[in-house]
Amino acid sequence: MQAARWIEAAEFQGLLLREGLIDQVAHGRRLRQINTELAATGRYEHTASELEQAGRIGWRATPRCIGRLPWQTLQVLDRRHLQTPEEVFQACVEHLRWATNGGRIRPVMTVFAAAETGRAARIWNPQLIRYAGWRRPDGTVLGDPAQLELTDRLHELGWRPAQRTAFTVLPVVIQVGHHRSQLFELPADAVLEVPITHPEFSWFAELGLRWHALPMVCNLGLRAGGLFYPAAPFNGWYMSTEIAARNLADVDRYDQLPAIARRMGLNTRSSISLWRDRALVELNVAVLHSFKAAGVRMVDHHSASAQFMTHLDRERDQGRSTPGDWSWLVPPVSGSTSPVFHRYYAADADPGTPRFQAQPEAWRAVAAGPHPATPGCPVHRVA
Ligand code: ARG
């Protein structure tokens, strides 16, 4: 464990040196310092600037992300000193407000204490803003089916929402160290949402669809330099298809295509009418239109694809290969119209660090004892 930590720490310092972020002298000095600290205590702490580089390089190394071009602009907020669930929650709300920025979204990451400190936080929610899901007696779901299980857990923890709607924002559960998990409601004015309308179909608004402006992922841990940060929530801005081709369209999510197709007057009994495809395009048009009208930053899949091509070129010019997962990178609509579709990507067989890492769902981890989320924990697939 100790040796593995030293190896990863030295690798990280070597990376910073190779990328010109530190010079030879600083590199040598820092290695000696880390070595001494590890020998004495078994752990060490990143400097604020190491943490910032870890976040940025971790983003750059994420094989599933098409939006990596601006990786160097990520702002990293160092909140490792916070001790209580209340403080962690307040920092998350601050992150939310700062990153949302009235719609002019900025990429931000907040880092809480490392697992190695024994007082690390875990945020149960997969994202800070998510909509609840409840199964109705007839088997259908009100809200987001992807959140059925978390919604159940929240009820067990005592959550009693004022009302149940298709878009009820879930409270946030935070656990610190060995202490009990605590539940927090997000202040309504910190959660920017966009009602979905269509530029030509006036009936579209009647579907009552909406989505939140900020995708803020909080269940991936950041692994860097031999340390693991189980709570390191981060956000970018949305690519339209994430909402319009997946969240609102997938059959096991909001499943809106049949309703849209019917309103469009398409024949939903014949697959060759391509009613799904036509409804899907209009839903994408609607989401892009609505975010623009609301002044909320969003990228369409064509622009995102072009930006990703620029990213690949820039990385190649720097002598780096870009790990990529084709099945995640290719946009879920009109794949072949995107240059991302027409090539292969370096497999991420031996992903180095820094990188983001999936963790077991927090409520399962809790049952297994506090903080099993140390390096080497099993990787579960997350959406
Ligand atoms: N796909 C996720 C969602 O629909 C968000 C993942 C992160 N996306 C991003 N653009 N940074 O909520």
Side-chain angles (χ1 to χ4, degrees), residues 127 130 211-212 215 217 235-239 242-243 247:
Q127 286 190 33
R130 289 273 95 169
W211 205 257
H212 51 88
V217 174
N235 75 278
W237 49 80
Y238 263 116
M239 176 162 84
E242 298 184 84
I243 300 169
N247 302 348

Side-chain angles (χ1 to χ4, degrees), residues 57-120:
I57 296 172
W59 182 8
R60 188 182 79 194
T62 303
R64 296 170 173 182
C65 178
I66 193 175
R68 285 177 266 174
L69 181 63
W71 64 273
Q72 287 171 97
T73 67
L74 179 72
Q75 292 183 24
V76 177
L77 307 176
D78 180 0
R79 300 287 182 265
R80 288 174 292 174
H81 54 283
L82 300 184
Q83 306 264 5
T84 66
E86 286 80 8
E87 289 173 339
V88 169
F89 178 69
Q90 280 320 319
C92 287
V93 174
E94 269 169 43
H95 175 148
L96 198 57
R97 291 188 200 275
W98 173 253
T100 303
N101 191 25
R104 294 173 303 282
I105 294 173
R106 339 179 220 235
V108 178
M109 178 166 120
T110 299
V111 186
F112 298 105
E116 290 74 13
T117 61
R119 52 177 178 79

Side-chain angles (χ1 to χ4, degrees), residues 39 44 50 87 109 121 153 158 165 354:
Y44 78 106
E50 285 167 355
E87 289 173 339
M109 178 166 120
R153 296 282 90 78
T165 70

Side-chain angles (χ1 to χ4, degrees), residues 64-376:
R64 296 170 173 182
C65 178
I66 193 175
R68 285 177 266 174
L69 181 63
W71 64 273
Q72 287 171 97
T73 67
L74 179 72
Q75 292 183 24
V76 177
L77 307 176
D78 180 0
R79 300 287 182 265
R80 288 174 292 174
H81 54 283
L82 300 184
Q83 306 264 5
T84 66
E86 286 80 8
E87 289 173 339
V88 169
F89 178 69
Q90 280 320 319
C92 287
V93 174
E94 269 169 43
H95 175 148
L96 198 57
R97 291 188 200 275
W98 173 253
T100 303
N101 191 25
R104 294 173 303 282
I105 294 173
R106 339 179 220 235
V108 178
M109 178 166 120
T110 299
V111 186
F112 298 105
E116 290 74 13
T117 61
R119 52 177 178 79
R122 209 36 227 282
I123 302 169
W124 283 27
N125 310 51
Q127 286 190 33
L128 204 68
I129 309 172
R130 289 273 95 169
Y131 298 118
W134 295 278
R135 194 166 298 282
R136 297 191 185 94
D138 67 358
T140 60
V141 172
L142 172 66
D144 191 345
Q147 306 307 328
L148 280 169
E149 194 180 350
L150 177 58
T151 305
D152 266 354
R153 296 282 90 78
L154 289 172
H155 281 291
E156 285 168 15
L157 289 178
W159 182 46
R160 300 288 175 266
Q163 48 169 336
R164 298 181 177 196
T165 70
F167 297 97
T168 298
V169 174
L170 287 166
V172 177
V173 187
I174 294 173
Q175 198 197 0
V176 176
H178 298 251
H179 302 286
R180 284 174 53 125
S181 338
Q182 286 191 40
L183 225 106
F184 300 90
E185 287 286 352
L186 288 165
D189 66 339
V191 180
L192 184 58
E193 289 180 285
V194 178
I196 309 299
T197 59
H198 190 284
E200 289 140 44
F201 303 154
S202 55
W203 49 262
F204 212 97
E206 292 162 18
L207 295 168
L209 303 178
R210 55 201 290 122
W211 205 257
H212 51 88
L214 198 81
M216 179 165 161
V217 174
C218 13
N219 59 355
L220 294 183
L222 175 66
R223 187 170 161 184
L227 303 179
F228 185 70
Y229 299 95
F234 61 88
N235 75 278
W237 49 80
Y238 263 116
M239 176 162 84
S240 46
T241 58
E242 298 184 84
I243 300 169
R246 304 298 312 280
N247 302 348
L248 295 178
D250 276 0
V251 172
D252 59 0
R253 297 291 299 285
Y254 279 82
D255 193 19
Q256 290 298 303
L257 300 185
I260 296 169
R262 278 194 297 272
R263 299 294 291 255
M264 288 171 71
L266 302 173
N267 178 3
T268 56
R269 280 179 307 278
S270 162
S271 62
I272 69 166
S273 70
L274 297 190
W275 61 268
R276 289 189 187 83
D277 312 67
R278 295 175 68 181
L280 189 56
V281 168
E282 297 307 336
L283 178 52
N284 275 266
V285 168
V287 165
L288 279 161
H289 163 80
S290 309
F291 270 63
K292 185 162 189 150
V296 175
R297 187 166 194 178
M298 163 172 273
V299 66
D300 68 88
H301 52 292
H302 299 291
S303 308
S305 298
Q307 288 159 14
F308 188 63
M309 290 297 123
T310 304
H311 175 67
L312 291 175
D313 289 346
R314 281 197 196 163
E315 287 298 293
R316 190 204 48 223
D317 293 348
Q318 292 296 315
R320 293 191 289 256
S321 88
T322 295
D325 182 338
W326 191 96
S327 71
W328 278 70
L329 290 172
V330 171
V333 291
S334 315
S336 65
T337 66
S338 154
V340 177
F341 176 96
H342 298 276
R343 48 158 295 158
Y344 291 110
Y345 302 91
D348 194 19
D350 175 25
T353 60
R355 75 178 148 109
F356 290 98
Q357 192 177 315
Q359 328 178 51
E361 273 144 339
W363 53 90
R364 292 189 221 293
V366 171
H371 297 299
T374 44

